[in-house]
Amino acid sequence: MIKTTNLSKVYRTEEVETTALNEVDLEIKEGEFVSVMGPSGCGKSTLLNVLGMIDSPSGGDYHFMGEEVGRLSERKRSNVRKHNLGFVFQSFNLIDELTVYENVELPMLYTKVPAAERKQRVEELLEGMNIMHRRNHFPQQLSGGQQQRVAVARAIVNRPKLILADEPTGNLDSANGDEVMKILSQLNSEGTTILMVTHSQYCAEFGNRIIRMLDGQVVTENLVKQYL
Amino acid sequence: MWQNYFKVATRNLFNHKSFSFINIFGLAVSMSVCLLVIMLVHDAYQFDTFHPDSSRVYRVLTDAQRKGGGEESYATTPFPLGKTLTEDYSYVEAWAPLVRRLNARFTTGDKQLDVEGLLTDANFFNVFGFELEEGDPATALNSPNSIVLTRESAERFFKNQNPVGQVLENNTLGSFKVTGVLAPFPGKTHLEFDALGSLSSLDGIEQRVQDWGVLQNNWNNYYGTYNFVRLRKGVSRETAEQALAQISKEAYADLDLESRDAGYRFRLQPLSEITPGPILSNSMGSGMPEMLIWFLTALSAIVIFSACFNYTNLTIARALTRAKEVGVRKIMGATRWQLFRQFITEAMVVSGLALIMAFLMLQATIPLFSQLQFLEFTDVTLELDWTTAAWFLFFSMTVGLIAGALPALVLSRFQPLAIIQKLQNTRLFRRVGLRKVLLVSQFAVSLVFLILLTVSWKQVNFAMQGNFGFNANTIVNVNLQGQDYNRVLAEFQQNPNVVQTSAVSHLMGTWQDSKIDVRVKPGGEPEGVRDYFIDDQYLSNLGVKLVAGQNFPDNPAQSTELFALVNEKFLEHYKLGSPAEVLGQTIIVGDSTVLTIRGVVEDFLYKPLSYALEPLLLRYDPAQWRILNLRLQTTDMPAAITSLERSWKKVDKSEALSYQFYDETVRENFANLYDIMWIIAYFAGMGILIACMGLLGMAIYSVETKAKEISIRKVIGAAPRDLIRLLSKGYLVLLAIAAVVALPISYLLGSQMLESFAFRIPMNVLIFLPGIAILFFLGMLTIGSQTVRAAFGNPANNLRSE
């Protein structure tokens, strides 16, 4: 599904040049659950952003589902993104002015899903995530765990092929974190590919492969124990 | 999707109430002004829209070129011009001449009424969209001495009787038989008349009133006829104007022009451009001058742009609060255009709500505005109909678009990465300088308004206290309304409340004007001099002093005009020497009237203060007296007026006494100055309110964003006073810059405004001070409301939340 060759990302300011990704070669197959770990500033999030087509690479190739997407225009990237990718963030990033229901519905408005189908999908997901009773609440009225469940529901409502999760449990207590990880595992077992950045070894082991990064480079790749 | 946009927009408005209030209220205030102006302008363009093929109808105008240079444009043209254009060229489909020679007092039975009439022919009904409810348009104006009445005048004369076939009499003009009644006009028109007489009556009238001279073959009289033509299809205005030039060349080749004129140019004015249109001499009817429309539109544009700018400024300043939403939406697949639409929708929602509020404010403004005199003068009515409502809606959407475009552009440009990388603290919109410039302009404009308000207020006060040099107090002016001077005078002289009487042609101290060409020696260059016809009692009644010579002799039976009185300025202007020297000298008035200077009056202001003191010519001709000045001595004015009415009734049974207190009449001259003052006051109020709202928004925002800094400073020992100074300093500098920018501009505009007054107040520092004081007071109050609260707040709240 994902194949990068010599993928690099360099941030330049007037005085400093920072190499966030240094010739990363990486391959992720459909159905995988890959966790990315590493110390702060090692380039994990940059990798996620570039693979999520939120940021463009400075060099190298990035093939997504067989197509070179590294050098696409913003409009085309946006198009690929909305049909194939779902995002989960550490800080949830729900829109405060929209209710739970409306937040989950939002991605489908941009992919022009008919109203009746939108309703059905949102309700199914909210039932599944056990937050149906909160459908008319605003994000600030929910607990962190509930907000992240809404964010996950929003990420998968368009049935993406790949979910990119940036420390999805970083702002949650262990019980809520566990719950979110279980949902992600469940989605993976149903066929969704997941790429997750995390600091937690515990969470990383929900996946089937762990990539460790340092100074913008992939230093090790290991299969998680049970997949050895 | 739209539903989603609306939801987010309304929830955002609700969640940020103070900013929403500033935005909506600010826009509403300025919109209410604009709605008013839209109504005025819309109404002003409703004149003469009901005529058939009106796009091909033109009025022929005269540009009279003067010998001394310069030219004056007239709405009238020589009568034969229209005739020649129609008969000698094939461009004109229909020609309707309108001749102003039917203004007279007509009698039927015991009814006597003044009629404003025009002479015309059957083509009138062809060119214009007026219809007859009685009579045949093809024949009603054919026979000499036929008259067609408007329905109103028909009712005034004949109440419920059938007017057709009845006869209206006038001693001078003759008898006119009513041959038709016009249906109520389908819309507003610049044409003003109570009756239409047949053009074929003109010969007879000219024979009866030989003073008026002939019109029909007279190329030198460009004052008496309005020539209207409808061009044939396909004939351009330019083509017809070329024909006019040709006609003019041939017609004036061997003619002596009027003494002051060097030549004439004729041109066509489209019917649709008459009202509103340029100000022309001899123009008929009311309607708003184009200039006034531009003036009001410009003022409202300033106010609405100021309010739009507040929205733009505040929304951009607060853009970071929306960064997360933009980022999330973009990640979900929103395009920049979709986001642009979303933020424009928000601006439209705000402007829509502002429109509702503005509409309510408008209901309160209309009654206030309706009191302004110029609405009456210009025949403008403030009425709401579907077209105006559609304009309101269109306007509100445009405002939303203008106010929302820049924020929408800025917001939709946010990159999704910004939220992922938590760049919320980055300055995404760096043009703080631009914001400051705009804030300064808002305050500068407000200050200019305030200073102009001071200027007009002081000038009005000055003008009101101005000494006219004649004593208008306790004088009641009575309009003779065509009644015999001697009869009316005899009645009033018996009235115990009347202590003195005098007569005059038209009133001094008002805009009423008359000028006559005067030569001080035969063959000299004629110059226009203001003239009034007075009786022998006028000088003593009005308290005007003679400095040399004698007053007019009492000679109401005079058949030939003999004498003139002049003022000192007259002697100075014509270099005639001392008052004593000039007595007995003759002057030539008009073409050939020779008058002997019998006396010299001291200089006094006989025109409103906008006129400089000029030479004055006082003449004696009982036929010209139109007004009686009655000086009253009474402690009970209402009773005195009732007794005057009783005296008048003995002379004229059908018309009521037409009177006015002279001092009030003089004061009414300033009505337009009052109007200008109120309009400026209104706009100044709006301007400063909006500017303060903008300042308030910026102060709230800056205090919010500096909350942490304020708290830290407090914790390390800053006193509230220091904090207030810190927070206010920047704004005070902006206000000071605004004042520096506004002062020269208001000096220039103020001086220009006063330019139109020959007698005026000086532009000094006292004129600027009140405006500056108000500006700083309101500015400080606005900023203070926020800074004081921040300076005295509990620092722990902000540090904890951080």
Side-chain angles (χ1 to χ4, degrees):
Chain A
M1 174 175 260
I2 287 175
K3 186 169 169 32
T4 70
T5 320
N6 295 333
L7 191 71
S8 56
K9 177 75 191 177
V10 181
Y11 291 108
R12 288 188 185 87
T13 62
E14 279 169 21
E15 289 157 9
V16 195
E17 191 176 280
T18 315
T19 306
L21 293 179
N22 191 0
E23 304 197 336
V24 174
D25 294 332
L26 183 68
E27 190 167 356
I28 298 170
K29 294 200 167 58
E30 219 167 323
E32 270 196 293
F33 186 156
V34 178
S35 306
V36 183
M37 295 190 73
S40 290
C42 71
K44 309 184 294 285
S45 291
T46 306
L47 178 67
L48 200 77
N49 293 340
V50 172
L51 296 182
M53 293 173 234
I54 296 171
D55 205 351
S56 51
S58 313
D61 295 330
Y62 170 25
H63 282 85
F64 179 75
M65 298 180 74
E67 192 191 346
E68 167 58 48
V69 292
R71 280 172 279 278
L72 288 182
S73 68
E74 169 55 33
R75 178 176 279 271
K76 284 186 178 151
R77 277 194 288 168
S78 159
N79 206 31
V80 176
R81 208 160 56 212
K82 71 181 170 192
H83 288 108
N84 300 292
L85 306 183
F87 290 84
V88 181
F89 306 99
Q90 178 182 0
S91 51
F92 324 130
N93 280 333
L94 297 173
I95 295 179
D96 297 333
E97 279 72 29
L98 297 179
T99 62
V100 165
Y101 183 97
E102 290 157 356
N103 262 293
V104 177
E105 187 193 27
L106 187 64
M108 292 187 287
L109 293 175
Y110 291 111
T111 48
K112 300 198 165 60
V113 175
E117 192 180 339
R118 288 205 302 266
K119 185 168 185 282
Q120 189 199 343
R121 281 208 226 167
V122 175
E123 284 175 357
E124 267 174 25
L125 276 173
L126 292 181
E127 289 283 3
M129 301 273 176
N130 204 18
I131 37 173
M132 189 59 180
H133 60 294
R134 296 282 197 167
R135 54 178 289 171
N136 291 326
H137 285 64
F138 287 95
Q140 353 21 326
Q141 297 170 311
L142 305 181
S143 71
Q146 286 170 325
Q147 288 193 44
Q148 195 60 300
R149 273 184 279 158
V150 176
V152 173
R154 185 182 64 182
I156 61 175
V157 73
N158 260 340
R159 296 172 184 157
K161 299 190 174 60
L162 173 66
I163 288 179
L164 297 148
D166 192 357
E167 301 198 38
T169 59
N171 279 2
L172 301 178
D173 59 33
S174 57
N176 276 312
D178 245 14
E179 203 169 328
V180 168
M181 287 317 300
K182 279 180 194 152
I183 296 170
L184 290 177
S185 295
Q186 173 71 26
L187 287 167
N188 179 241
S189 66
E190 287 162 12
T192 311
T193 313
I194 294 175
L195 178 65
M196 176 179 74
V197 165
T198 181
H199 273 118
S200 146
Q201 182 67 32
Y202 171 75
C203 290
E205 287 179 3
F206 276 84
N208 40 33
R209 184 151 61 105
I210 299 176
I211 293 173
R212 286 183 198 279
M213 290 185 72
L214 188 66
D215 297 335
Q217 287 180 311
V218 174
V219 286
T220 58
E221 284 188 55
N222 302 110
L223 287 179
V224 174
K225 267 179 245 158
Q226 60 265 39
Y227 298 100
L228 284 173
Chain B
M1 188 59 85
W2 289 108
Q3 211 183 353
N4 187 275
Y5 293 165
F6 278 112
K7 255 183 227 164
V8 175
T10 44
R11 286 173 193 165
N12 249 310
L13 286 176
F14 201 72
N15 289 343
H16 306 279
K17 291 186 190 71
S18 53
F19 288 112
S20 307
F21 174 76
I22 290 172
N23 278 334
I24 296 173
F25 183 72
L27 276 178
V29 164
S30 53
M31 266 190 184
S32 68
V33 185
C34 296
L35 296 189
L36 193 69
V37 174
I38 288 176
M39 285 176 96
L40 282 174
V41 174
H42 178 255
D43 194 83
Y45 280 96
Q46 297 314 303
F47 281 77
D48 293 303
T49 52
F50 58 90
H51 308 296
D53 298 315
S54 59
S55 62
R56 289 190 280 131
V57 177
Y58 297 86
R59 178 168 74 176
V60 192
L61 306 183
T62 307
D63 293 326
Q65 285 128 12
R66 304 298 190 213
K67 271 183 186 157
E71 62 175 30
E72 188 173 351
S73 299
Y74 289 81
T76 43
T77 26
F79 183 95
L81 183 70
K83 194 173 174 179
T84 315
L85 181 68
T86 311
E87 289 173 0
D88 295 1
Y89 294 81
S90 56
Y91 302 146
V92 175
E93 192 172 87
W95 163 54
L98 303 180
V99 176
R100 251 183 172 171
R101 290 208 163 165
L102 199 65
N103 289 353
R105 192 179 181 82
F106 282 93
T107 313
T108 181
D110 59 353
K111 273 254 169 71
Q112 280 193 9
L113 292 169
D114 286 325
V115 168
E116 238 179 280
L118 295 168
L119 298 175
T120 186
D121 59 19
N123 271 314
F124 179 84
F125 299 104
N126 184 0
V127 172
F128 299 108
F130 298 99
E131 282 176 7
L132 288 183
E133 59 181 18
E134 306 261 358
D136 177 2
T139 56
L141 291 173
N142 283 359
S143 321
N145 291 39
S146 307
I147 195 166
V148 167
L149 299 175
T150 60
R151 184 195 286 170
E152 253 183 3
S153 17
E155 280 167 6
R156 276 168 68 210
F157 274 111
F158 304 106
K159 288 216 167 129
N160 303 325
Q161 276 178 294
N162 181 9
V164 177
Q166 308 265 16
V167 174
L168 297 179
E169 306 265 2
N170 175 273
N171 290 341
T172 321
L173 304 180
S175 306
F176 284 77
K177 188 174 167 193
V178 180
T179 50
V181 177
L182 283 148
F185 299 170
K188 290 188 178 191
T189 175
H190 82 281
L191 295 172
E192 245 178 11
F193 58 90
D194 306 313
L196 299 170
S198 52
L199 189 63
S200 49
S201 325
L202 187 57
D203 285 335
I205 292 175
E206 283 173 354
Q207 276 168 21
R208 283 162 168 265
V209 197
Q210 294 195 349
D211 274 3
W212 285 358
V214 293
L215 205 58
Q216 298 198 59
N217 293 310
N218 187 350
W219 286 90
N220 274 334
N221 184 329
Y222 53 89
Y223 309 111
T225 311
Y226 299 92
N227 277 306
F228 283 89
V229 290
R230 186 170 64 231
L231 299 183
R232 286 187 200 284
K233 275 186 190 152
V235 176
S236 73
R237 182 172 163 185
E238 291 70 30
T239 313
E241 280 179 344
Q242 277 163 15
L244 286 173
Q246 184 61 31
I247 295 171
S248 153
K249 203 172 147 192
E250 286 164 16
Y252 292 98
D254 303 316
L255 274 184
D256 289 333
L257 303 188
E258 202 180 306
S259 52
R260 59 179 170 165
D261 291 338
Y264 309 110
R265 195 169 65 88
F266 301 108
R267 60 191 162 99
L268 297 179
Q269 180 186 36
L271 185 58
S272 59
E273 289 172 21
I274 294 179
T275 306
I279 298 170
L280 299 169
S281 298
N282 277 357
S283 59
M284 195 195 312
S286 42
M288 214 190 273
E290 241 169 358
M291 218 175 61
L292 188 59
I293 290 187
W294 285 114
F295 175 66
L296 288 174
T297 310
L299 286 187
S300 13
I302 292 174
V303 171
I304 194 74
F305 274 118
S306 189
C308 281
F309 156 67
N310 278 356
Y311 179 89
T312 307
N313 198 8
L314 265 186
T315 313
I316 291 180
R318 298 180 53 251
L320 283 174
T321 58
R322 306 295 296 275
K324 181 174 96 175
E325 183 190 337
V326 175
V328 171
R329 282 181 185 267
K330 280 206 169 171
I331 288 172
M332 301 292 143
T335 59
R336 190 168 172 202
W337 168 233
Q338 279 172 320
L339 287 161
F340 182 84
R341 267 193 337 223
Q342 179 187 340
F343 289 111
I344 281 288
T345 310
E346 288 194 10
M348 299 266 190
V349 168
V350 169
S351 69
L353 291 172
L355 177 66
I356 296 171
M357 204 189 255
F359 188 76
L360 297 176
M361 290 178 185
L362 180 69
Q363 305 311 311
T365 329
I366 288 178
L368 290 175
F369 215 72
S370 306
Q371 289 170 9
L372 294 183
Q373 300 243 349
F374 85 89
L375 287 191
E376 203 180 309
F377 296 150
T378 53
D379 190 20
V380 164
T381 38
L382 294 170
E383 276 164 17
L384 188 68
D385 57 19
W386 285 110
T387 343
T388 357
W391 275 110
F392 284 3
L393 219 59
F394 173 74
F395 169 72
S396 139
M397 286 170 79
T398 314
V399 166
L401 210 63
I402 293 172
L406 193 58
L409 218 59
V410 171
L411 283 162
S412 63
R413 210 162 47 195
F414 284 177
Q415 289 304 315
L417 198 61
I419 61 148
I420 311 293
Q421 295 189 330
K422 303 185 179 65
L423 288 178
Q424 275 93 334
N425 295 325
T426 317
R427 284 163 104 196
L428 288 159
F429 189 69
R430 289 167 196 279
R431 283 182 232 161
V432 177
L434 176 72
R435 292 216 303 263
K436 284 184 181 164
V437 168
L438 292 172
L439 206 64
V440 165
S441 343
Q442 273 186 328
F443 274 94
V445 168
S446 307
L447 186 54
V448 170
F449 277 136
L450 281 177
I451 293 172
L452 292 185
L453 178 63
T454 320
V455 170
S456 48
W457 183 72
K458 287 199 172 228
Q459 177 65 24
V460 167
N461 270 348
F462 174 73
M464 295 294 292
Q465 290 156 6
N467 184 2
F468 271 97
F470 61 85
N471 183 2
N473 297 333
T474 71
I475 286 191
V476 167
N477 290 316
V478 171
N479 192 332
L480 284 174
Q481 300 184 66
Q483 293 296 343
D484 179 60
Y485 160 77
N486 291 311
R487 275 187 67 204
V488 178
L489 184 68
E491 280 305 331
F492 284 129
Q493 278 175 339
Q494 284 171 24
N495 190 307
N497 295 301
V498 179
V499 288
Q500 194 173 4
T501 65
S502 58
V504 70
S505 52
H506 55 287
L507 290 176
M508 289 186 176
T510 69
W511 308 115
Q512 294 174 20
D513 214 357
S514 158
K515 268 189 172 183
I516 184 88
D517 281 349
V518 170
R519 280 171 288 169
V520 288
K521 50 179 180 273
E525 198 59 40
E527 266 185 85
V529 174
R530 292 212 157 77
D531 62 337
Y532 292 83
F533 292 90
I534 61 170
D535 70 351
D536 62 305
Q537 293 298 308
Y538 190 82
L539 297 184
S540 68
N541 195 13
L542 276 285
V544 178
K545 291 190 189 80
L546 269 172
V547 291
Q550 289 173 291
N551 193 356
F552 290 117
D554 178 21
N555 184 15
Q558 168 193 287
S559 59
T560 316
E561 199 184 338
L562 298 170
F563 301 114
L565 304 181
V566 296
N567 65 352
E568 293 166 303
K569 190 81 188 170
F570 188 98
L571 308 188
E572 186 190 319
H573 181 77
Y574 287 103
K575 300 188 178 65
L576 296 179
S578 71
E581 284 172 281
V582 82
L583 299 176
Q585 276 197 34
T586 54
I587 56 173
I588 302 145
V589 172
D591 282 339
S592 55
T593 310
V594 178
L595 301 179
T596 306
I597 298 178
R598 187 178 160 91
V600 177
V601 297
E602 70 172 5
D603 281 339
F604 68 99
L605 287 179
Y606 58 91
K607 293 295 288 176
L609 297 192
S610 43
Y611 293 79
L613 183 64
E614 285 181 9
L616 167 70
L617 177 65
L618 297 171
R619 305 169 65 181
Y620 188 92
D621 179 2
Q624 304 295 333
W625 298 336
R626 301 273 179 276
I627 293 157
L628 280 186
N629 322 107
L630 309 179
R631 186 169 290 282
L632 304 185
Q633 196 170 45
T634 175
T635 46
D636 184 0
M637 195 51 85
I641 295 297
T642 314
S643 77
L644 291 184
E645 281 167 341
R646 266 199 306 272
S647 306
W648 175 261
K649 262 280 170 288
K650 290 180 194 163
V651 185
D652 188 335
K653 290 188 173 50
S654 58
E655 287 293 292
L657 174 76
S658 161
Y659 73 96
Q660 220 171 1
F661 293 98
Y662 205 169
D663 49 358
E664 277 178 18
T665 312
V666 168
R667 220 173 292 147
E668 274 173 18
N669 287 321
F670 301 109
N672 63 343
L673 205 55
Y674 269 116
D675 282 0
I676 292 175
M677 194 173 83
W678 281 117
I679 292 171
I680 295 178
Y682 188 57
F683 280 98
M686 297 283 138
I688 199 138
L689 179 65
I690 291 163
C692 283
M693 299 279 279
L695 188 61
L696 178 68
M698 291 314 293
I700 294 176
Y701 174 73
S702 105
V703 165
E704 260 181 22
T705 49
K706 285 189 177 162
K708 189 179 168 191
E709 180 193 334
I710 297 166
S711 303
I712 293 172
R713 280 176 185 270
K714 254 181 135 168
V715 169
I716 58 175
R721 196 184 53 236
D722 304 322
L723 293 170
I724 292 172
R725 199 180 305 140
L726 174 82
L727 289 166
S728 314
K729 202 174 65 189
Y731 291 113
L732 272 181
V733 171
L734 292 184
L735 289 184
I737 296 174
V740 170
V741 172
L743 289 184
I745 299 174
S746 16
Y747 181 81
L748 284 177
L749 290 177
S751 309
Q752 202 152 15
M753 218 166 123
L754 291 175
E755 198 95 305
S756 56
F757 297 92
F759 298 88
R760 54 184 178 242
I761 50 159
M763 286 290 282
N764 56 25
V765 71
L766 289 177
I767 289 189
F768 299 109
L769 282 182
I772 297 176
I774 291 174
L775 177 85
F776 273 87
F777 173 72
L778 291 177
M780 288 310 297
L781 201 69
T782 310
I783 303 164
S785 68
Q786 296 310 307
T787 52
V788 169
R789 206 177 57 170
F792 286 95
N794 180 1
N797 293 339
N798 295 319
L799 294 176
R800 195 165 48 220
S801 68
E802 284 289 323

